Amino acid sequence: MSQPPERVSAVVLAYKAEPWLRRSVEALLASEKVDVDVVLVDNGCTTDDVDVLEQVDGVTVVRPGTNTGFAGGCNLGARAATGEYLALVNGDAVVEPTTMARLVEEASKPDVGIAVASVRLAEDPALLNAGANPIHVLGLSWSGRMGQPETLTEPMETAGASGACVVVPKAHWDALGGFDEEYFAYHEDADLSIRTWRKGLRVLYVPDAVAVHRYEFSRNDFKMYLVERNRLLFVTTLWSGKALVLLALPLAGLEAAMTLMAASQGWFPAKVKGWRWLWSHRAHIRARRRVLKAEATVPDREWMGLLTTKVDPSVIPVPALASTVNGLVTIWWSVTRRWV
């Protein structure tokens, strides 16, 4: 007698007017070899899409009444999820029929905590948008191999998983308590990935599990505030005190460089706002450090081996300096890492 298909609850956030939202939900419900239901979180949708999709079988709508951010919205959706597996899928991403099944296949392995899809660019689905995201020893994270063709054929381990399309065993999600909602948006997927590694579970990138993403690059003061604030929140809650001391000089150098970039690009007030937030929430940071230290089972030296010392030139303020910066950080970390 054949086993019933695995049950997956896919959390999708509805925010403002997203032209691909209905396609995203419909594609998830049409998934093959797994039983997918959708938890649609109304995070401030400005069209009738949520009302229309609420009438569709397999869709549950959650209405918080405000924009709870990516972190908060996913947590709300996860609390309403009933599947053995939890999927997080952007409302502007459309999965292929077998994507959920492939991610579940990998996530069902006992040593895997997160399986992440190969997220492709809508204008050319042969090219990568995100998926296997590097995480830098100084806390930076970015879309891995952005704009490059996919050449991999087998799953591979990755330090970070893009939250645009992932599957997590619900039991693992619950054990971690989901996202820290203070992130609001950006870097919460890096946080979840590193916490997974620290629990002794792997994060796998699955190249044949494809999601096409209607990606639009944007930069505004609020986004830069969150990106920079959250990088510091990420490092100060997950890096050990010893690691922070050993990396103090390069961390200070990066902070100075980011501050100069903020001043030159006109978002210095947002940078200052991030510092103020971190100071005013120092009690949360201390409490979070205690929680994350207690849950970890893997030594810092082991999981920090996943981090890269080489940053993509597009990530730093002066791309031409990437080679020099990468070389200096690599030397610094190779010397100091032994004491972590």
Side-chain angles (χ1 to χ4, degrees), residues 50-129:
V50 172
D51 293 333
V52 171
L53 289 167
E54 191 172 20
Q55 307 307 312
V56 176
D57 287 342
V59 176
T60 300
V61 172
V62 176
R63 289 185 170 88
T66 186
N67 178 16
T68 58
F70 184 78
C74 288
N75 284 356
L76 281 171
R79 287 196 280 272
T82 58
E84 294 91 355
Y85 294 89
L86 179 72
L88 308 178
V89 181
N90 277 14
D92 57 359
V94 175
V95 299
E96 292 187 345
T98 59
T99 295
M100 288 292 104
R102 278 294 293 123
L103 292 176
V104 166
E105 182 180 359
E106 298 300 331
S108 67
K109 296 175 180 177
D111 64 341
V112 175
I114 300 176
V116 59
S118 178
V119 182
R120 310 290 181 84
L121 293 168
E123 59 266 29
D124 186 350
L127 301 181
L128 288 162
N129 175 199

Side-chain angles (χ1 to χ4, degrees), residues 107 109-115 167-169 172-173 196 201-204:
K109 296 175 180 177
D111 64 341
V112 175
I114 300 176
V167 165
V168 183
H172 175 55
W173 174 273
T196 294
L201 296 174
R202 296 188 297 152
V203 179
L204 283 186

Side-chain angles (χ1 to χ4, degrees), residues 34-304:
V34 285
D35 181 7
V36 178
D37 68 271
V38 173
V39 180
L40 186 62
V41 180
D42 186 353
N43 245 6
C45 183
T46 56
T47 68
D48 65 347
D49 287 338
V50 172
D51 293 333
V52 171
L53 289 167
E54 191 172 20
Q55 307 307 312
V56 176
D57 287 342
V59 176
T60 300
V61 172
V62 176
R63 289 185 170 88
T66 186
N67 178 16
T68 58
F70 184 78
C74 288
N75 284 356
L76 281 171
R79 287 196 280 272
T82 58
E84 294 91 355
Y85 294 89
L86 179 72
L88 308 178
V89 181
N90 277 14
D92 57 359
V94 175
V95 299
E96 292 187 345
T98 59
T99 295
M100 288 292 104
R102 278 294 293 123
L103 292 176
V104 166
E105 182 180 359
E106 298 300 331
S108 67
K109 296 175 180 177
D111 64 341
V112 175
I114 300 176
V116 59
S118 178
V119 182
R120 310 290 181 84
L121 293 168
E123 59 266 29
D124 186 350
L127 301 181
L128 288 162
N129 175 199
N133 290 353
I135 299 177
H136 196 270
V137 70
L138 302 182
L140 296 163
S141 185
W142 59 93
S143 297
R145 297 185 293 146
M146 172 77 165
Q148 298 180 24
E150 179 58 272
T151 57
L152 299 174
T153 57
E154 297 294 329
M156 74 167 192
E157 294 180 351
T158 174
S162 167
C165 185
V166 296
V167 165
V168 183
K170 186 61 162 50
H172 175 55
W173 174 273
D174 290 342
L176 292 182
F179 290 134
D180 178 1
E181 295 185 13
E182 295 293 354
Y183 277 102
F184 192 80
Y186 306 113
H187 246 89
E188 69 291 306
D189 49 6
D191 176 275
L192 195 78
S193 297
I194 291 300
R195 292 174 63 204
T196 294
W197 282 108
R198 284 162 48 115
K199 291 280 282 184
L201 296 174
R202 296 188 297 152
V203 179
L204 283 186
Y205 168 70
V206 188
D208 58 331
V210 175
V212 177
H213 186 206
R214 195 184 66 83
Y215 174 75
E216 291 182 337
F217 177 78
S218 65
R219 175 178 288 169
N220 55 65
D221 285 3
F222 184 59
K223 177 178 179 178
M224 297 312 297
Y225 155 71
L226 289 173
V227 168
E228 271 297 281
R229 184 202 71 171
N230 290 355
R231 173 179 63 85
L232 296 172
L233 176 62
F234 177 60
V235 169
T236 54
T237 53
L238 279 165
W239 273 227
S240 68
K242 187 180 291 186
L244 290 173
V245 170
L246 293 169
L247 291 166
L249 186 59
L251 281 168
L254 176 61
E255 192 63 15
M258 288 300 185
T259 301
L260 288 173
M261 182 172 74
S264 66
Q265 294 181 352
W267 52 274
F268 181 70
K271 181 65 175 163
V272 174
K273 181 181 177 183
W275 291 333
R276 288 174 175 163
W277 186 96
L278 291 163
W279 176 251
S280 65
H281 289 75
R282 59 193 182 277
H284 170 78
I285 293 172
R286 286 195 298 267
R288 189 70 178 166
R289 284 183 64 83
R290 289 193 293 270
V291 169
L292 300 189
K293 182 179 180 180
E295 77 177 10
T297 60
V298 174
D300 290 338
R301 186 176 299 179
E302 184 175 332
W303 71 261
M304 292 192 86

